[in-house]
Amino acid sequence: MVKIKRILVSQPKPSSEKSPYFDLESKYGVKIDFKPFIKVEPVLSKEFRQQKVSILEHTAIVFTARTAVDHFFRLCGELRVNVPETMKYFCISESVAKYLQKYIQYRKRKIFFGETNKLEDLMKYVNKHIDEKFLVAVADVHDINKAVEEQKDDILSLMEKAGADFTPAVMYKTVSTDFTKEPDFNYDMLVFFSPSGIASLFKNFPDFKQGDISVGCLGATTAKAAKDAGLIVNVEAPTVEFPSMPAAIDAYLKEILKKK
């Protein structure tokens, strides 16, 4: 019988005490640790120059994460690049689009975003503006993502299929967190939020066997990466019934209690 006592959520610890993860701890008597499987490091301006990418030769920029927004404007500052007001921004979601307000006057710029947080939805807007010259901000995930290499270039593959004129620009690095020095890595459930997290697990523990360990995944690409790596996914979110990972875990733990 499956027993869940310790859960590893591969995200930073929530800053708010009202996080639903803390409610799960008190409700089910489980211990939840928060430790990201991956961490982000900046690409230095010197490294960026080696890519021979000219930001100002592009008329539109594609962002699939707020992290990409931060590192794009960081590099612009270091390179002394003044982004023109005519630049168009294509964002994976409204939250990423709104995040642009940290750096630009939102109302004065042309900003497009998908309504469903899916790349296919974002591509509808790319196709409507297919004559733009796109710059796609991406992470360098070469080594960490070997286990799920087919997952890493989703946005680039879709841009290529659409026939868009685009340039990928590596602006930050996604590197694996080292768990090998932690003797207490002993969990009943692992929760992942990206394909890179799955790759990091196997980089840390090449001989990892799932056994009775439950696995939760946020997003279809994360779940696919887990399954492709030979894992059984016990909890998936978001779904119509469970729009968030805490809600999905709640239902899973409740079902386990019923079987006792």
Side-chain angles (χ1 to χ4, degrees), residues 42-45 48 55-56 59-91 95-111 135-138 169-172:
V43 166
L44 303 179
S45 55
F48 184 78
I55 293 174
L56 296 181
T59 59
I61 303 179
V62 179
F63 292 122
T64 58
R66 292 193 296 181
T67 302
V69 175
D70 284 331
H71 287 283
F72 169 75
F73 285 102
R74 173 188 59 79
L75 280 169
C76 285
E78 293 177 3
L79 298 169
R80 298 181 180 179
V81 171
N82 292 317
V83 183
E85 291 189 6
T86 54
M87 185 71 76
K88 297 182 176 69
Y89 299 89
F90 293 77
C91 303
S95 64
V96 173
K98 293 289 186 182
Y99 191 68
L100 287 169
Q101 295 178 101
K102 182 177 178 181
Y103 300 99
I104 63 175
Q105 290 183 294
Y106 191 84
R107 294 181 180 180
K108 292 187 177 181
R109 304 299 173 93
K110 293 183 178 180
I111 301 172
L135 182 69
V136 185
V138 295
V170 176
M171 298 185 177
Y172 56 102

Side-chain angles (χ1 to χ4, degrees), residues 1-7 28 30 188-189 212-215 234-235 248-260:
M1 183 179 293
V2 176
K3 294 182 179 179
I4 307 292
K5 290 296 182 182
R6 295 188 67 201
I7 300 174
Y28 296 101
V30 297
D188 305 305
M189 184 174 189
D212 293 331
I213 299 173
S214 298
V215 170
N234 308 93
V235 179
I249 295 175
D250 189 347
Y252 181 65
L253 295 177
K254 187 181 297 183
E255 187 64 26
I256 290 175
L257 284 176
K258 287 182 181 178
K259 294 179 180 180
K260 286 188 176 181

